[in-house]
Amino acid sequence: MTRPEHGVVLGGGWAGMLAARALARHLESVTVVERDVLPDGPRNRRGTPQARHSHILWSGGARIVDELLPGTLGRLLAAGARRVVFQRDLITLSAIGWQHRFPSGEFAVMCSRPLLDWVVRERVLADPRVTVRPRTEAVEPLGGRDRVTGVRVRDVADGSWSSLEADLVVDASGRGSRIRAWLSGLGLPPVEEDAVDAGMAYCSRVYQAPPGVAAAFPPVNLADHPEHEPGRFGSVYPQENGRWIVTLAGTRGARLPTREEEFLPWARALPDPLVADLLVRAEPLTPVFVSRFGANRRLYPERLEQWPDGLVALGDSVAVFNPIYGHGLSAAARGAAALEAQLREPGPGWAGAAQRAVGEGLDDPWIMATSKDIGYVDCRARTSDPRLAGGASDRHRFSAFINARALRSPAVSEVATGVVALAVPPSELGSNRFLALLSKDEILPELSGPPLRPEELALAGLPARNGHTAPAGSRADAGPGEGDSTSAASRTAGRGGQPS
Ligand SMILES: Cc1cc2nc3c(=O)[nH]c(=O)nc-3n(C[C@H](O)[C@H](O)[C@H](O)COP(=O)(O)OP(=O)(O)OC[C@H]3O[C@@H](n4cnc5c(N)ncnc54)[C@H](O)[C@@H]3O)c2cc1C
């Protein structure tokens, strides 16, 4: 086809805005079709209920966003987001022990999800080539199996239908996307789908932290011991405006608290009192929000022998992950970057090539999440992925070994953090370089409690804990880039991921 001129993006969420930006770099005009009215500021809205829960943006995704929209990271930080170096700047009790606070080149951006969305959206919509059609619902694509030519839309206010012509349609309508049905409607065979569901659920509350504490106290991740099923997790993450978001999460059967009075006792029952101790020092600002969207689900549109020109799907519409790994935003950013790369040379069949590139970008987060989750008791899996055959396989055992090592080895931790941050491919863990490193890395003593510094304890008004406190001037104070981790272990600790 000739170079596309007008693009339509279905959904104005995170993936939709990044896709609109990718398109705006190459097309003359872009229309974003969005069911909601997009707020003029960092506010929650109906179409993204998950925004009530803690969201982190890993450095792998943050760098892509900053490349697509230069200066975004700086704006987020100026608006109150924190750049948290893993594991230097946080406290993690993984399922198998406390994590040493090693420095690293990798980080996560922590703030509210509405702020993340707003900073990106404001910048994308500042481009006059991009316009939004609010309160407009995508109903179905126009065209046929060879080529999509636009989309039929419904006006949410009056129910009327109309057609939008386009050279390119990008489905970014999130986890509720009807892309499978749409492709069938175009006459294409069924798209293969995998699902690995450990029954993960989240409940979250936002708190006002004591003055000055949210901006300086390390974020906290706690996980229950692996022999305790179901898995249970707790985290306290900073947001802008001196707030904390506290998330309690668990796999199937964890009986999460849904009422306010149940929240603190559940946190108190985690294997360490740190989350509960912080909670009692803060003022709750919201009720308890519950999310049961915790399954991993992946479509494989790239496996279809034929793909219509003029159509690409990305973000949650093609793959969702257990949120505990914090990979959805970064995976969507990878998708937008893949789309942008294909748009530089839109030769024949480029939309199919773009869809394959989107699928490639999903594979790392997919295998990291599913190879861990499939090991949970009561996990329900329907998957054709041969790497997951036999459940918790050799891959899982190797991952457990790396996790344990990364807790105490700065060098192993650095590589593992890069993998979890989606900055380094998981294949690096099987490289000769990494295997050589395992034979000569430095291993620090096991920690018996949270490595909090005296000044951090004092800041939060927490009592000292005998034998646990990291002395000032310890490795935790080394500068970034010297080698750190996110032992995948920290994933098991709430957010932090687990290389597989
Ligand atoms: C509890 C929870 C916690 C999470 N935590 C993290 C985290 O820490 N880090 C991370 O990276 N990821 C996290 N995720 C995943 C992350 O939320 C998603 O990956 C991300 O929102 C995907 O963006 P998206 O644009 O594809 O979908 P969404 O952000 O859901 O946006 C979809 C948009 O499409 C619109 N829409 C839907 N249907 C239509 C239609 N027919 N027509 C028009 N518009 C439509 C919606 O209104 C919405 O605006 C979490 C998810 C959950 C559930």
Side-chain angles (χ1 to χ4, degrees):
M1 76 176 282
T2 52
R3 180 168 282 280
E5 293 177 358
H6 177 59
V8 170
V9 178
L10 313 181
W14 176 260
M17 284 298 154
L18 293 179
R21 170 61 181 168
L23 263 52
R25 278 192 171 177
H26 300 278
L27 276 58
E28 285 171 17
S29 58
V30 182
T31 306
V32 178
V33 171
E34 168 55 50
R35 201 157 45 191
D36 279 355
V37 173
L38 295 172
D40 188 19
R43 285 190 289 282
N44 283 298
R45 61 187 174 88
R46 195 167 168 214
T48 49
Q50 72 272 34
R52 299 278 186 184
H53 300 271
S54 61
H55 272 72
I56 65 167
L57 175 62
W58 280 112
S59 41
R63 289 188 191 108
I64 295 173
V65 173
D66 225 39
E67 199 282 319
L68 280 170
L69 288 162
T72 301
L73 191 50
R75 286 188 185 219
L76 281 165
L77 299 181
R82 256 178 85 179
R83 184 182 184 280
V84 176
V85 172
F86 269 66
Q87 305 279 347
R88 185 193 69 185
D89 296 344
L90 78 167
I91 300 294
T92 293
L93 173 62
S94 88
I96 47 175
W98 291 97
Q99 170 72 50
H100 276 275
R101 293 173 66 179
F102 303 130
S104 159
E106 302 305 331
F107 62 91
V109 177
M110 294 192 182
C111 62
S112 71
R113 169 71 194 267
L115 181 65
L116 280 170
D117 281 343
W118 165 243
V119 169
V120 165
R121 185 164 72 236
E122 191 189 26
R123 308 210 59 218
V124 172
L125 298 183
D127 185 335
R129 285 167 296 192
V130 183
T131 50
V132 179
R133 274 190 60 168
R135 305 205 71 202
T136 306
E137 184 181 44
V139 177
E140 60 186 5
L142 303 169
R145 56 187 293 154
D146 294 333
R147 174 155 185 70
V148 164
T149 55
V151 61
R152 197 178 319 283
V153 296
R154 191 180 75 90
D155 186 309
V156 172
D158 63 15
S160 63
W161 288 31
S162 58
S163 295
L164 273 178
E165 305 290 325
D167 301 315
L168 169 59
V169 174
V170 178
D171 176 30
S173 57
R175 63 175 56 241
S177 165
R178 303 216 303 279
I179 186 74
R180 282 187 102 205
W182 288 345
L183 289 167
S184 296
L186 292 172
L188 289 155
V191 177
E192 290 178 39
E193 178 177 6
D194 278 358
V196 175
D197 181 5
M200 177 66 76
Y202 263 46
C203 63
S204 304
R205 286 187 93 176
V206 175
Y207 288 75
Q208 191 68 49
V213 178
F217 192 81
V220 175
N221 272 326
L222 300 180
D224 209 345
H225 192 274
E227 283 167 13
H228 297 167
E229 289 269 3
R232 295 181 314 140
F233 312 90
S235 62
V236 180
Y237 287 170
Q239 297 192 328
E240 61 278 12
N241 301 324
R243 293 174 179 181
W244 274 326
I245 183 157
V246 181
T247 293
L248 305 176
T251 57
R252 185 167 288 109
R255 294 174 180 275
L256 281 178
T258 53
R259 295 204 307 262
E260 292 174 14
E261 62 273 22
E262 298 166 342
F263 205 75
L264 180 62
W266 202 96
R268 186 68 72 199
L270 286 165
D272 187 88
L274 188 52
V275 167
D277 286 350
L278 292 172
L279 275 187
V280 295
R281 288 164 169 77
E283 179 199 347
L285 299 176
T286 67
V288 179
F289 291 101
V290 178
S291 168
R292 302 199 185 277
F293 295 133
N296 303 285
R297 193 182 118 254
R298 180 177 180 184
L299 301 181
Y300 294 94
E302 65 274 18
R303 289 184 185 166
L304 290 178
E305 279 182 20
Q306 186 185 356
W307 184 257
D309 271 343
L311 178 67
V312 175
L314 47 73
D316 278 13
S317 73
V318 275
V320 292
F321 310 101
N322 177 346
I324 205 90
Y325 304 94
H327 280 156
L329 299 173
S330 296
R334 283 179 159 202
L339 174 62
E340 201 272 338
Q342 291 296 328
L343 279 168
R344 287 178 214 155
E345 298 288 339
W350 76 270
Q355 197 60 53
R356 283 192 294 280
V358 169
E360 281 162 22
L362 295 172
D363 201 56
D364 293 348
W366 167 256
I367 197 63
M368 269 190 260
T370 54
S371 57
K372 171 66 190 169
D373 285 6
I374 207 161
Y376 282 112
V377 175
D378 291 339
C379 179
R380 296 171 191 163
R382 193 185 62 246
T383 168
S384 57
D385 193 326
R387 298 167 296 181
L388 300 174
S393 54
D394 288 349
R395 169 181 287 276
H396 184 63
R397 281 189 286 278
F398 182 61
S399 172
F401 167 75
I402 302 292
N403 294 342
R405 192 72 159 252
L407 291 180
R408 296 159 56 198
S409 156
V412 172
S413 183
E414 179 177 23
V415 180
T417 298
V419 172
V420 171
L422 297 184
V424 172
S427 57
E428 181 63 20
L429 297 172
S431 70
N432 289 339
R433 193 192 75 87
F434 185 70
L435 296 176
L437 193 136
L438 284 178
S439 62
K440 60 173 196 266
D441 60 329
E442 177 194 11
I443 303 180
L444 273 60
E446 199 170 324
L447 289 169
S448 59
L452 282 160
R453 302 176 197 144
E455 62 273 21
E456 291 167 341
L457 290 165
L459 176 70
L462 294 169
R465 298 214 209 167
N466 282 346
H468 299 161
T469 308
S474 68
R475 294 191 68 85
D477 296 321
E482 296 170 29
D484 143 75
S485 75
T486 276
S487 75
S490 61
R491 128 324 33 48
T492 334
R495 223 43 89 62
Q498 174 153 10
S500 49

